[in-house]
């Protein structure tokens, strides 16, 4: 279906962050750190992305310990596959870019 | 693209919003646009170094071109301020660096005493006219369409000006407090009407208030309560939320270090200390576009409702020749037109984002 389409930067980074189970704020911090402070996910954007990813089955909510309001999420095998497909796409982009724009 | 040197902005401020007007002018100056001419609901700016100028305004007791008015202007010029221009009895000055026209609470209180009588006079005039119209309409059993229409317009104006007087009274109380205790009160209330399409302006305004040392504490219909804070201590953000019963979103945002302030209708407000980093609710174009779509959907709903009500009332009016139905129909039509206009404004914003989206994520 839409598998050939590119993932957004936010989604790709969320999938990477969720290789380890994490709650929302953890994702924001991890992504910011991973990108050297470049990508700052805003709460509303992240919340929307998490619910879309959950309904798509690329990530899942972990059964929380009782009382905790912070939900933890983790990547699913389908999500892992989507991330790997995206990685190949990005590698292709980067390789072509490097070949044609040349190393400076 | 060549660097733009001049900018003209059309903007309307009511008399009781002079503080907000000044805040806005200084925000413009901080962004590199300093006021260089004022016209009727029009502001002309020229390029300056960001933060180079401070802009101040004041209402004089006398007309600016009278002898006393000129004296005042010359005195300020002698003190190093640049006279920008005047609008009715309001004078605008600018100066490089920090600058105050009314240095203390006592001066600001005097300024209020100059302002209030004028507003009271308008209010009294409106009140008398309103009563007059009411008696007319009652006597003619509501059948006078023009009378009812005028009554409606007068009521709106009366409410508006009464709100303004109330706003200024609150400001006056604050200044009195400051005069007595040497510092502004811990809380203050501002009453303000904001149209749906102005949510970005509202966001800017709330953040200007926070930058000035007033952070939003409570929201209610047309009412904003602020608490004193360190200038620039907080960032404030607002957004539309469809499903108010769902607390999980608010919990989620709170878990990221923001604080939920409250809600007004379907709008929810958050704040976050600036020390904890920049605070945004939406970081990509898609979620911003989605947010606009939600607002559009709400407007379409309200507009359809108003249109259905208008059609119903027009039918009644035509069949029964009943004037009240005609009035209601007119009102509903005005409501419909308003939602259509809102929708247009929102769509313009959406198109700008979409053009951006065609290139960037």
């Amino acid at each position: 279906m839409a598998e050939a389409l590119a993932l957004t930067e936010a989604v790709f980074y969320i999938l990477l962050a969720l290789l380890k189970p994490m709650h929302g704020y953890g994702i924001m911090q991890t992504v910011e750190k991973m990108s050297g402070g470049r990508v700052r996910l805003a709460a509303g954007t992240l919340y929307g992305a998490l619910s879309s990813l959950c309904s798509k089955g690329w990530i899942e909510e972990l059964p929380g310990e009782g009382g905790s309001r912070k939900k933890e999420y983790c990547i699913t095998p389908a999500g892992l596959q989507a991330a790997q497909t995206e990685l190949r796409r990005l590698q292709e982009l980067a390789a072509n870019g490097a070949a044609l724009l040349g190393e400076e | 693209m060549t660097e733009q040197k001049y900018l003209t902005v059309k903007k309307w401020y009511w008399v009781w919003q002079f503080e907000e007007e000044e805040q806005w002018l200084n925000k413009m100056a901080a962004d590199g646009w300093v006021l260089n001419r004022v016209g009727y609901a029009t502001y002309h700016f020229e390029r300056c170094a960001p933060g180079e100028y401070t802009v101040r305004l004041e209402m004089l007791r006398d007309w600016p071109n009278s002898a006393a008015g000129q004296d005042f202007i010359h005195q300020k010029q002698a003190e190093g301020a640049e006279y920008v221009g005047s609008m009715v009895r309001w004078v605008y000055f600018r100066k490089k660096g920090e600058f105050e026209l009314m240095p203390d609470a006592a001066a600001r209180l005097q300024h209020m005493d100059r302002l209030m009588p004028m507003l009271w006079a308008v209010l009294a005039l409106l009140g008398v006219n309103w009563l007059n119209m009411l008696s007319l309409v009652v006597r003619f059993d509501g059948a006078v369409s023009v009378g009812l229409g005028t009554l409606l317009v007068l009521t709106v104006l009366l409410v508006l000006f009464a709100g303004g007087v109330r706003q200024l009274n609150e400001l006056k109380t604050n200044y009195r407090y400051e005069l007595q205790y040497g510092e502004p009160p811990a809380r203050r209330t501002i009453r303000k009407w904001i149209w749906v399409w102005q949510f970005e302006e509202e966001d800017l305004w709330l953040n200007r208030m926070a930058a000035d040392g007033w952070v939003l504490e409570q929201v209610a219909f047309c009412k904003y309560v602020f608490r004193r804070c360190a200038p620039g201590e907080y960032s404030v953000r607002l957004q539309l939320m469809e499903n108010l019963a769902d607390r999980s979103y608010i919990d989620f945002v709170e878990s990221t270090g923001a604080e939920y302030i409250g809600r007004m209708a379907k709008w929810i407000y958050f704040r976050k200390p600036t020390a904890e980093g920049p605070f945004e609710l939406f970081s990509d174009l898609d979620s911003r576009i989605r947010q606009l779509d939600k607002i559009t959907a709400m407007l379409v709903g309200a507009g359809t409702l108003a249109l259905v009500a208008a059609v119903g009332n027009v039918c009644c009016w035509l069949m029964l020749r009943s004037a009240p139905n005609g009035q209601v129909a007119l009102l509903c039509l005005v409501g419909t037109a308003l939602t259509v206009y809102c929708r247009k404004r929102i769509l313009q914003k959406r198109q700008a984002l979409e053009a951006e989206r065609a290139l960037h994520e």
Side-chain angles (χ1 to χ4, degrees), chain B residues 318-333:
Chain B
L318 289 177
M319 286 188 296
L320 308 171
R321 292 268 145 219
S322 102
N325 277 122
Q327 302 290 339
V328 175
L330 198 66
L331 258 183
C332 292
L333 282 175

Side-chain angles (χ1 to χ4, degrees), chain B residues 176-216:
Chain B
R176 259 205 216 106
Y177 183 97
E178 200 179 334
L179 196 63
Q180 197 174 350
Y181 298 102
E183 56 171 21
R187 274 160 174 267
R188 57 178 297 193
T189 307
I190 293 183
R191 277 159 225 282
K192 194 173 157 73
W193 173 261
I194 290 173
W195 294 101
V196 180
W197 65 84
Q198 289 176 317
F199 62 96
E200 277 166 337
E201 285 87 336
E202 182 178 0
D203 186 294
L204 286 173
W205 172 62
L206 292 174
N207 281 299
R208 280 202 297 271
M209 289 298 290
D212 260 16
W214 294 100
V215 65
L216 189 66

Side-chain angles (χ1 to χ4, degrees), chain B residues 225 245 276:
Chain B
V225 180
E276 289 176 28

Side-chain angles (χ1 to χ4, degrees), chain B residues 16 64 70 90 102 145 191:
Chain B
W16 52 87
Q70 286 294 316
W90 290 85
M102 292 169 272
S145 304
R191 277 159 225 282

Side-chain angles (χ1 to χ4, degrees), chain B residues 107-178:
Chain B
R108 283 198 280 271
L109 255 179
Q110 276 176 15
H111 185 233
M112 299 304 286
D113 290 339
R114 253 172 279 159
L115 267 172
M116 301 289 282
M118 194 178 68
L119 273 176
W120 278 116
V122 173
L123 202 59
L125 206 71
L126 282 171
V128 168
N129 271 298
W130 188 81
L131 285 175
N132 208 349
M133 257 313 152
L134 186 69
S135 71
L136 208 77
V137 168
V138 168
R139 201 171 320 144
F140 290 97
D141 206 15
V144 201
S145 304
V146 182
L148 256 178
T150 319
L151 193 65
L152 195 80
V153 172
L154 279 173
T155 312
V156 170
L157 282 174
L158 205 61
V159 169
L160 186 74
F161 274 80
V165 167
R166 196 165 162 199
Q167 177 66 59
L168 285 182
N169 261 328
E170 263 160 3
L171 206 57
K172 216 169 142 178
T173 319
N174 290 349
Y175 292 151
R176 259 205 216 106
Y177 183 97
E178 200 179 334

